[in-house]
Amino acid sequence: MAARTLPQDGGPPRGGAARGTRPADAGGARPRTGWARRPGHHPLRIGSTPPHRGAEPPAHRGPRVNLPGRALIINADDLGYDPAVTRGILRAMQEGIVSSATLMVNTPYSETAAHEARGLSLGLHFNLSHGLPVWAAFPSHFLRNGSLAEPLAQHLTPDVVEAEALAQLERLDTLLGQPATHVDVHKRLHRHPGVLEGLARAAHVALLPVRSLDADMRRVLRAHGVPSNDHFIGEAGTEAYWTLERLEQHLATLPEEGITELMCHPGYTPEAVKSGYARQREVELATFLHPRARLALTRLGLKPTDFRVVTRAG
């Protein structure tokens, strides 16, 4: 399947649902966002309640939590980042213990990844780091050579972040034919206050949970009425983070109460994208496929679930 071309400034996504989002000015009033829905759905506008978000997404094959008081979500980031990464994530979900993933919707590989992953429990991997923006009116002075750039994310206004988040959520709906289960952020850029504020607004409109990295972020999200996980575990550095031994140690010491998200990056070494986290992904993939990983969960009486448990808890 051919990759979908995303817009430069001023044009709608080619081959996808167009958005009628326009700011009053570059740094002024909050933009009015018209969210075009699929046939049978009503348009969503900021400040309104979407007709189907928060309802159980159809045709998911994600497992369910079966213990009261405690839940574990094992979420793989970066679906759609690179074809080899996507293949590894899908294998980790279909054959291993990974129970959720998040899709990047503005890469050349997003459409194929979405097609291959339909029916799985998927959220949005909100990307402000690279690639073209999805919102047609994204201000050009926040772009580098027409593209998103990680160093510029800290300067984004909440209004711009909100509009881009809603645009990316709508593109996910279009690609998958089902709504996102939740939102998390590539490169954890919601550590920046403006990004967090804008994302919280969008998530409140969309009735979706957002990944929190720590207690302070959790408080901000919940103050906006956005549900979030209670605990978070995960990292990606120069060495592979999720070795089998580390996974077993963390599983043995999970909090007794609340919803814990375990973030991971399984995959095969990227074949089209240069990444600092490359062969490390194959170590993580082997970890989440290993019989000992499943055995550790069985001993704890845990069945990994997805972010819909956060929505229900909220």
Side-chain angles (χ1 to χ4, degrees), residues 124-140:
L124 172 69
H125 200 46
F126 185 39
N127 180 17
L128 296 170
S129 303
H130 61 272
L132 301 179
V134 178
W135 179 36
F138 199 103
S140 59

Side-chain angles (χ1 to χ4, degrees), residues 2 18 31 39 70 74 81 93 112 147 173 183 190 239 251 253 263 265 268 282 293 297 303-304:
R70 179 167 70 164
I74 303 180
Y81 176 68
M93 296 185 77
T112 298
S147 297
D173 282 15
V183 184
H190 55 328
E239 301 295 327
L251 291 178
T253 57
M263 176 193 73
H265 295 85
Y268 295 106
E282 298 197 7
L297 290 172
K303 188 174 184 180

Side-chain angles (χ1 to χ4, degrees), residues 81-88 265-273 275 277-283 285:
Y81 176 68
D82 174 274
V85 171
T86 293
R87 288 197 302 272
H265 295 85
Y268 295 106
T269 300
E271 61 188 23
V273 176
S275 172
Y277 208 72
R279 293 192 179 277
Q280 299 97 318
R281 296 177 188 268
E282 298 197 7
V283 175
L285 176 59

Side-chain angles (χ1 to χ4, degrees), residues 55-64 93 116-122 176-179 181 306 308:
E56 187 83 354
H60 282 307
R61 297 195 297 271
R64 302 289 189 271
M93 296 185 77
E116 293 172 345
R118 280 197 173 199
L120 296 174
S121 298
L122 300 177
L176 286 177
Q178 65 192 40
T181 56
D306 58 57
R308 288 174 290 173

Side-chain angles (χ1 to χ4, degrees), residues 238-251:
T238 56
E239 301 295 327
Y241 188 79
W242 288 114
T243 62
L244 183 59
E245 292 73 19
R246 175 173 280 152
L247 177 65
E248 290 175 322
Q249 290 168 4
H250 276 287
L251 291 178

Side-chain angles (χ1 to χ4, degrees), residues 82-125:
D82 174 274
V85 171
T86 293
R87 288 197 302 272
I89 291 173
L90 295 178
R91 187 179 176 199
M93 296 185 77
Q94 293 162 349
E95 301 176 28
I97 65 169
V98 172
S99 57
S100 171
T102 39
L103 173 69
M104 303 174 81
V105 299
N106 68 331
T107 79
Y109 318 107
S110 298
E111 188 171 359
T112 298
H115 176 75
E116 293 172 345
R118 280 197 173 199
L120 296 174
S121 298
L122 300 177
L124 172 69
H125 200 46

